[in-house]
Amino acid sequence: MQTTERPVASRSIESYLDTSLDAIADAAAIFREAVAVYLKAGPDGTCWRQARGISEHMRTVDEVQQRIETTVLPQSVLGERVQKMIDPLIGVSRLLKEMRRQVTGFAIESGFSGPGRSVPAYLMPSVQELTDEVCAAVEALVESHRPPIVLWGELASGEEEGSVSWHEAQADRLSMELLKKIFADEALELKQKLSLAQFVEEIDRLADQAEQIVSDFRGGRVAGLPTVHARDSH
């Protein structure tokens, strides 16, 4: 029974994971596009379409999580591994919800993206650069969870160039530079400055959430999730 579990069950799990991760990457691409549209044209009808697109990817992630939970026996060795992955998937769902909330804000021009959120032209390239870095952090999150890394491999240290933590640090740097520019702009009223600062911080928060997901998953591995080599040695 145990000898057939890995070839059959693990292939199904890997397929489910790839589907989920593809959905996350697609949602990040939609978010990048939505910010670009908002910076160029302000509220735009396509933002509703983009928000719906993210919702569809959220449903995919939820469906995949359910399939993973029902495919693997909790008492099996593979089940022990998969159970450690459920919390990160829940974290990803929260990340996608935050993306959808922000994109919906672009569309409705209320609260999140009111008149005070109009981004000065000279700041637009920096906001787009921040968004690109945030999306790169999400994309790095996706790649770090690709099978067979999650099920059978080893996690990277997390500090090297191109990792989630590296992109999150770059996003923090860019957001701080943006905040300094915003509060140094004497042409902006204080209310506008505070509104723009919130806009920048909310975008940057997505990279923070991506890093937290990686941290939570790594904590699960360190807490006792066995490697494939350790399992196969018995």
Side-chain angles (χ1 to χ4, degrees), residues 6 10 13-14 17 77-78 81-82 84-85 143-157 217-218 220-222 224-232:
R6 178 173 178 178
S10 68
I13 296 302
E14 288 174 10
L17 281 174
V77 174
L78 183 60
R81 291 175 174 274
V82 171
K84 293 292 185 179
M85 293 155 42
E143 294 309 313
S144 70
H145 282 66
R146 286 287 182 190
I149 295 174
V150 168
L151 293 177
W152 318 117
E154 299 291 341
L155 289 176
S157 65
F217 182 74
R218 183 176 289 109
R221 292 292 290 269
V222 171
L225 192 60
T227 66
V228 62
H229 304 295
R231 192 198 62 163
D232 288 345

Side-chain angles (χ1 to χ4, degrees), residues 10 53 55 121 139 156 181 193 202 211 231:
S10 68
S55 294
E139 290 160 359
K181 291 178 182 178
K193 291 179 179 181
E202 287 182 329
E211 184 184 37
R231 192 198 62 163

Side-chain angles (χ1 to χ4, degrees), residues 32 35-37 39 123-133:
R32 180 188 280 113
V35 172
V37 169
L39 290 175
L123 290 178
M124 289 183 181
S126 296
V127 173
Q128 191 63 61
E129 184 181 7
L130 170 63
T131 303
D132 291 343
E133 204 65 59

